[in-house]
Amino acid sequence: MSKEKKHVISKVLPGSIAEEMGLEIGDAITKVNNEPIEDIFDFQFLMQDEYVEVTVLTKDGEEAVLEIDKEYDEDLGVEFENGLMDDYRSCSNKCIFCFIDQMPKGMRETLYFKDDDSRLSFLQGNYVTLTNMSEHDIERIIKYRLEPINVSFQTTNPELRCMMLHNRFAGDALQKARRLYEAGIQMNGQVVLCKGVNDGKELARTISDLYEYLPVVQSVSVVPVGLSKYRDGLYPLEPFEKEDAEAVIDLIETWQKKAFEEFGLHFIHASDEWYVLADRELPEEERYDGYLQLENGVGMLRLMLNEFHQRLEELKKGGFVPAPEKMTLATGRLVYPYIKKMADRIMEVYPQMDLQVVAIRNDFFGERITVSGLLTGQDIIAQCKVLDLGHRLILPGNVLRSGEEVFLDDYTLTQVRETLGTQIDIVEGSGKSFVDTVLRV
């Protein structure tokens, strides 16, 4: 790390210590208490004291040391050009299941970036493979208590992990998880299951090995590999069938019972796709241990259904009556059966509502991709333009880029709305949002 590393200020918050000290946008912080700053964690850790000395390089090129008396943990009040205060670390693996390698050419550049940064695991919940973490990184995680760390295990078989990640150091990296476990750093795990590779006996081994890390490893999700149609030249992988899903669920539920009896945690979780594929009832809410793995699609459907029924019952008891309306709800094929049941229930309670539910086929990535989060604007247009959509079209919020009205294929919400010639409303994921959007509460 360079001693001259500069962290440029992009914003000074009104009323902050920084504003009082005369810091400006374009100034850079290089040290705190004469310690060079590697990233946001160094900065936050060193800024905790009641007296700090901050070395600043002004935008005019002058260096100054600011002596600051403040409350313990009081923030300086600045934001930086890079929120991490460092470059993002890209992935050094060539995983046989990587979805980024299965995307077509010509999409926006950010979609092709593979991150594998333990700091983003702590900040944003990203999963890391541990393969590009140094001893220095491990020590900093332990020193700063950066937890929980989310780890992509895939398998605990070192040789198999090297093969799956196409990285000869991937097996040795499992020792880093042991270091974190011994230091009591809380972890969540992930296993991307590939048929004939890390399933069956290998999955049983992985669960057994990770069980030894309980309760420091508080949860592990098992998710099926996503297979797009762009797999030319990639490792040959096959989709899972119903009987495969049944076997995965049976194995996981056996370990759940053992873990709950011993630790009060269910620990190992099958993602919602397995239950849909196996045509089995979703687990009850209590088995999700507080929904620790929602971002991996573990318990999303159960949570949404529970919120849906609760909200609908509230409105019914409160005497709410919606205006009659016809509309279309478009979603991915995976969750279609559940969206259809919810729509039917609304029409049962409010017969004046006419709800058409449509499962959008993913022609862009291929029919094996069934999640709504990978639907594109062009597929929605192509399959909805031939329908009578009614007064409006309702879409799930995860079809759009976070914080923006842009689909994966860079179609905008405005383009889709104008092409289809109808109002479009977005449901933001929760069962309550679903009810309120449909009924215009």
Side-chain angles (χ1 to χ4, degrees), residues 26 33 59 85 111 140 203 209 231 266 284 306 399:
N33 296 337
K59 55 188 175 184
M85 297 177 70
L111 291 175
R140 293 178 80 240
L203 176 59
D209 288 346
R231 289 197 56 83
H266 292 89
E284 62 279 8
N306 287 359
V399 299

Side-chain angles (χ1 to χ4, degrees), residues 35 43 57 92 186 196 230 243 260 299 321 389 413 419:
E35 294 273 350
F43 180 71
L57 185 65
S92 58
Q186 205 168 65
Y230 301 101
E243 57 270 24
F260 190 74
V321 179
L389 299 176
L413 192 57
T419 304

Side-chain angles (χ1 to χ4, degrees), residues 364-427:
F364 187 88
F365 286 112
E367 292 189 36
R368 290 177 178 175
I369 302 300
T370 59
V371 295
S372 57
L374 290 174
L375 292 177
T376 59
Q378 56 194 275
D379 281 345
I380 292 170
I381 289 173
Q383 293 169 53
C384 287
K385 68 182 181 181
V386 297
L387 303 174
D388 176 6
L389 299 176
H391 298 106
R392 56 191 172 124
L393 172 65
I394 294 179
L395 298 174
N398 61 358
V399 299
L400 300 175
R401 193 190 313 181
S402 179
E404 300 181 47
E405 294 190 343
V406 181
F407 293 83
L408 263 177
D409 56 354
D410 286 336
Y411 274 63
T412 66
L413 192 57
T414 299
Q415 282 178 290
V416 176
R417 182 185 297 118
E418 290 177 350
T419 304
L420 294 176
T422 190
Q423 176 184 336
I424 297 180
D425 288 335
I426 301 296
V427 172

Side-chain angles (χ1 to χ4, degrees), residues 3-199:
K3 298 286 184 182
E4 299 300 320
K5 195 167 189 179
K6 299 186 298 182
H7 304 287
V8 180
I9 295 171
S10 62
K11 185 176 182 180
V12 177
L13 302 181
S16 65
I17 295 173
E19 184 181 59
E20 183 182 334
M21 299 298 293
L23 289 173
E24 298 179 355
I25 294 172
D27 293 343
I29 293 176
T30 57
K31 298 177 185 176
V32 174
N33 296 337
N34 207 35
E35 294 273 350
I37 306 300
E38 181 174 341
D39 58 25
I40 188 66
F41 301 113
D42 285 331
F43 180 71
Q44 291 178 342
F45 182 77
L46 293 168
M47 284 299 300
Q48 287 179 345
D49 293 337
E50 294 176 352
Y51 173 80
V52 294
E53 295 181 355
V54 178
T55 304
V56 177
L57 185 65
T58 71
K59 55 188 175 184
D60 299 323
E62 296 181 6
E63 186 173 88
V65 177
L66 307 180
E67 299 180 1
I68 301 174
D69 287 299
K70 64 181 187 65
E71 297 294 324
Y72 182 79
D73 263 358
E74 187 179 359
D75 188 59
L76 184 61
V78 296
E79 294 178 5
F80 297 94
E81 288 183 347
N82 182 331
L84 190 58
M85 297 177 70
D86 193 19
D87 294 333
Y88 295 109
R89 296 179 188 170
S90 61
C91 185
S92 58
N93 307 310
K94 184 72 173 174
C95 299
I96 63 172
F97 51 82
C98 181
F99 196 79
I100 293 176
D101 290 338
Q102 302 180 63
M103 292 202 300
K105 296 178 181 178
M107 301 181 74
R108 60 178 177 270
E109 188 176 342
T110 54
L111 291 175
Y112 300 102
F113 179 74
K114 304 179 185 180
D115 77 77
D116 193 16
D117 199 314
S118 59
R119 298 164 300 181
L120 293 181
S121 178
F122 174 72
L123 289 171
Q124 300 175 7
N126 298 17
Y127 277 76
V128 295
T129 65
L130 306 176
T131 56
N132 68 1
M133 288 175 61
S134 65
E135 182 63 26
H136 173 65
D137 295 325
I138 296 291
E139 289 173 355
R140 293 178 80 240
I141 288 171
I142 295 170
K143 175 183 178 182
Y144 296 148
R145 305 304 299 180
L146 301 181
E147 56 184 349
I149 292 293
N150 297 327
V151 181
S152 283
F153 286 104
Q154 318 317 357
T155 176
T156 54
N157 178 335
E159 293 78 18
L160 180 59
R161 195 168 195 259
C162 289
M163 186 280 284
M164 290 188 70
L165 274 60
H166 201 68
N167 183 329
R168 62 192 177 96
F169 302 110
D172 295 338
L174 291 169
Q175 294 304 314
K176 297 169 187 174
R178 175 160 289 280
R179 282 282 314 280
L180 296 175
Y181 162 72
E182 290 169 351
I185 297 296
Q186 205 168 65
M187 288 177 277
N188 295 302
Q190 177 192 62
V191 174
V192 177
L193 211 61
C194 300
K195 188 171 181 176
V197 180
N198 62 335
D199 57 348

